Amino acid sequence: MSNVSSNKKLPEGKYLDLSAGMKIHYHDFVKEGHDLGSGHPVLFLQGSGGGASGWSNFQFNVPAFVEAGYRALVIDLPGYGYSGKPTDALYTLDYFIGYVNEFLEKIGVSKLTLLGNSLGGAIAIGFALKYPKKVSNLILMSPGGIENKADYFTMPAMSIMKEVFVGGANSRDSFAQFIKKALVFDASIVTDELIDQRWEVFQLQNDQVIKTMDVPNMADRLGEINVPALVLWGIDDKLMPETGVMKLAKGLKDYEMLVIPKCGHWFMIEHTRLFNRTCLNFLNDRIALNDRIAK
């Protein structure tokens, strides 16, 4: 893996200048001794929310992918992490997809696997619909974009958000309580280091991304996706309606699915080894199959 070093709690990687003054922060990892052109590229797409960033979401997963020979690209989406946060932008799904596509074109990646959770999952679905020839596989973990916006506001996490932030919206303790109560099943896995990482980057955010975020319901278009997909879902997710599981099961054409108990919204953090093993088995099998067909 390439080096990341910083005196900040959240490691700092590289920056890329894109259109309209957008600066994207990202990490680009390959196995030691390999060049950046080797290894099937996997783009990790984070979820939304306070303090979210590519690294804080996927820091426990990236090393396993790199060791397995994959090129791991981890970006901070616009409005998050160390990436640009314009206060006059409308953070629509197309806005995110546009910058993801521009980023990939600038670094010379023409086909890849998209791995996204929550908002990142919605971006992965939307990207696959808009640029089908650029996507070889999808890995979707409790993805957004398959329900109407009003349905998300009926979920327990929204009540928890009101409960813990009343009178303490800028408190690190309230911030930590929301993560422990709303995003995971087992609060003991949420370490002080993880809280500190997200709290630090939360201080860099403005509220424009939350106020203007607009992700359409793409459930009716899932059948247009022709690439293999892996779906992972925690049955104790308090943020995403469980109806999403059946929408994905009935809508996608070619998929594998793993739904597990005692798991909240952060499958990749709560069940790291299972997540890594399942994703890598899926990718190894699908890429090997594609190689055999190509021959």
Side-chain angles (χ1 to χ4, degrees):
M1 289 174 60
S2 61
N3 293 325
V4 290
S5 60
S6 175
N7 58 2
K8 301 174 182 177
K9 294 181 178 69
L10 190 72
E12 196 166 356
K14 305 175 183 179
Y15 291 88
L16 193 63
D17 290 321
L18 302 182
S19 60
M22 175 58 66
K23 188 182 290 288
I24 287 290
H25 173 254
Y26 72 103
H27 299 283
D28 191 348
F29 297 114
V30 293
K31 196 170 184 177
E32 189 172 352
H34 294 221
D35 62 57
L36 289 180
S38 67
H40 176 80
V42 179
L43 177 62
F44 292 77
L45 296 166
Q46 63 174 81
S48 65
S53 70
W55 185 252
S56 63
N57 272 38
F58 298 112
Q59 61 188 299
F60 306 115
N61 315 115
V62 166
F65 281 73
V66 174
E67 183 58 31
Y70 292 93
R71 179 181 180 183
L73 295 159
V74 187
I75 68 170
D76 290 345
L77 293 171
Y80 293 96
Y82 295 145
S83 287
K85 304 170 183 66
T87 56
D88 58 351
L90 298 178
Y91 290 81
T92 63
L93 185 66
D94 283 340
Y95 181 82
F96 290 117
I97 290 172
Y99 277 123
V100 168
N101 184 56
E102 188 179 351
F103 167 77
L104 293 172
E105 288 185 342
K106 278 227 173 183
I107 65 171
V109 171
S110 58
K111 195 158 189 175
L112 76 165
T113 290
L114 296 176
L115 186 160
N117 78 293
S118 201
L119 170 63
I123 295 170
I125 291 170
F127 191 98
L129 289 169
K130 190 168 187 177
Y131 301 106
K133 293 182 179 180
K134 296 186 178 186
V135 180
S136 56
N137 304 283
L138 289 175
I139 298 177
L140 307 171
M141 180 175 44
S142 296
I146 52 173
E147 306 281 355
N148 295 322
K149 186 182 293 186
D151 295 327
Y152 295 110
F153 288 97
T154 66
M155 294 300 292
M158 297 303 169
S159 297
I160 295 170
M161 184 184 296
K162 294 177 184 176
E163 171 196 333
V164 300
F165 283 117
V166 170
N170 296 317
S171 157
R172 181 190 179 280
D173 181 62
S174 294
F175 184 79
Q177 286 303 309
F178 172 72
I179 289 175
K180 291 178 178 180
K181 290 183 177 182
L183 300 182
V184 297
F185 174 79
D186 179 5
S188 70
I189 63 99
V190 181
T191 64
D192 286 340
E193 181 181 8
L194 185 62
I195 296 297
D196 287 341
Q197 282 182 346
R198 295 180 72 94
W199 177 246
E200 177 188 64
V201 79
F202 182 52
Q203 309 311 304
L204 306 176
Q205 286 185 242
N206 60 62
D207 61 1
Q208 181 71 2
V209 65
I210 299 299
K211 287 195 305 183
T212 67
M213 189 180 296
D214 185 15
V215 177
N217 185 344
M218 297 174 284
D220 289 343
R221 299 192 62 195
L222 290 173
E224 298 174 34
I225 295 174
N226 292 312
V227 298
L230 171 65
V231 177
L232 302 117
W233 200 288
I235 205 67
D236 299 292
D237 194 326
K238 299 182 184 73
L239 196 64
M240 311 302 281
E242 61 186 27
T243 51
V245 174
M246 290 308 298
K247 289 182 179 181
L248 290 162
K250 292 182 177 182
L252 291 168
K253 290 179 179 176
D254 180 6
Y255 67 92
E256 298 173 24
M257 181 177 287
L258 178 60
V259 180
I260 64 169
K262 299 182 180 179
C263 179
H265 194 54
W266 282 356
F267 196 126
M268 73 290 191
I269 293 175
E270 286 199 84
H271 296 276
T272 300
R273 287 191 293 179
L274 177 61
F275 176 88
N276 294 344
R277 183 172 68 248
T278 304
C279 291
L280 291 172
N281 286 343
F282 168 77
L283 286 179
N284 292 341
D285 289 347
R286 293 296 180 154
I287 290 171
L289 177 61
N290 288 340
D291 288 344
R292 288 198 299 272
I293 292 172
K295 291 177 182 179

